[in-house]
């Protein structure tokens, strides 16, 4: 059951601040408040989906395509093309703590020499 008052819904509505790095009609991308990599970004769709299992089953295909394009655009905006990981924690057992679908983009810069 989706909770409209989850923290990412509030960020999308600009009710609480975030350090945004990219946004478009499909998604918002911002820095994780508690980074676990040198660069740690979250990308969230604007729609109300609890996790990737919900999103891939229930979001219309144009919404899904737009979301993944926004993920790619975030990677480009952060200049991470050749060095990043994506994680989608799904369910409490996997450590999901915010039940608005999101992907983590993480770069530990191990292979990167220019920052
Ligand atoms: P997950 O455990 O996959 O649900 O990830 C939720 C992530 O949201 C965690 O990495 C948190 O550090 C992050 N987080 C929680 N609140 C905020 C916030 N206000 N701004 C940015 N990131 C947040």
């Amino acid at each position: 059951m989706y909770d409209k008052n989850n923290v990412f819904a509030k960020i999308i509505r600009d009710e609480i601040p975030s350090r945004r790095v990219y946004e478009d009609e499909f998604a918002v991308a911002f820095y994780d408040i508690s980074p676990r990599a040198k660069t740690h970004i979250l990308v969230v769709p604007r729609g109300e989906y609890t996790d990737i299992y919900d999103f891939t089953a229930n979001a219309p295909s144009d919404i899904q395509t737009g979301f993944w394009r926004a993920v790619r655009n975030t990677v480009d905006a952060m200049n991470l093309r050749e060095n990043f990981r994506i994680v989608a924690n799904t369910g409490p057992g996997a450590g999901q703590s915010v039940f608005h679908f999101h992907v983590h983009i993480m770069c530990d810069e191990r292979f990167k020499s220019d920052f």
Side-chain angles (χ1 to χ4, degrees):
M1 180 77 162
Y2 183 84
D3 173 9
K4 288 178 185 295
N5 285 319
N6 74 75
V7 65
F8 295 164
K10 290 180 178 176
I11 284 174
I12 292 166
R13 293 195 297 264
D14 260 331
E15 292 171 7
I16 62 174
S18 63
R19 292 173 60 207
R20 296 188 184 202
V21 298
Y22 177 83
E23 64 182 299
D24 61 23
E25 67 183 287
F26 296 101
V28 178
F30 50 90
Y31 282 98
D32 194 296
I33 203 168
S34 179
R36 273 142 287 150
K38 178 72 178 174
T39 302
H40 188 165
I41 306 294
L42 301 170
V43 190
V44 309
R46 290 188 185 273
E48 299 180 348
Y49 304 97
T50 57
D51 58 27
I52 196 169
Y53 196 80
D54 179 23
F55 183 72
T56 52
N58 297 315
S61 58
D62 60 319
I63 298 293
Q64 296 199 39
T65 300
F67 174 74
W68 293 112
R69 189 183 307 118
V71 171
R72 180 191 168 96
N73 289 345
T74 301
V75 166
D76 286 343
M78 300 303 295
N79 194 26
L80 299 177
R81 165 68 178 90
E82 300 200 345
N83 180 21
F84 69 94
R85 290 181 290 137
I86 285 189
V87 170
N89 297 321
T90 308
Q96 185 176 3
S97 58
V98 179
F99 292 87
H100 178 115
F101 170 47
H102 55 281
V103 297
H104 300 250
I105 299 176
M106 289 175 282
C107 173
D108 61 15
E109 74 180 335
R110 198 179 316 159
F111 307 110
K112 209 167 166 69
S113 57
D114 63 347
F115 66 112

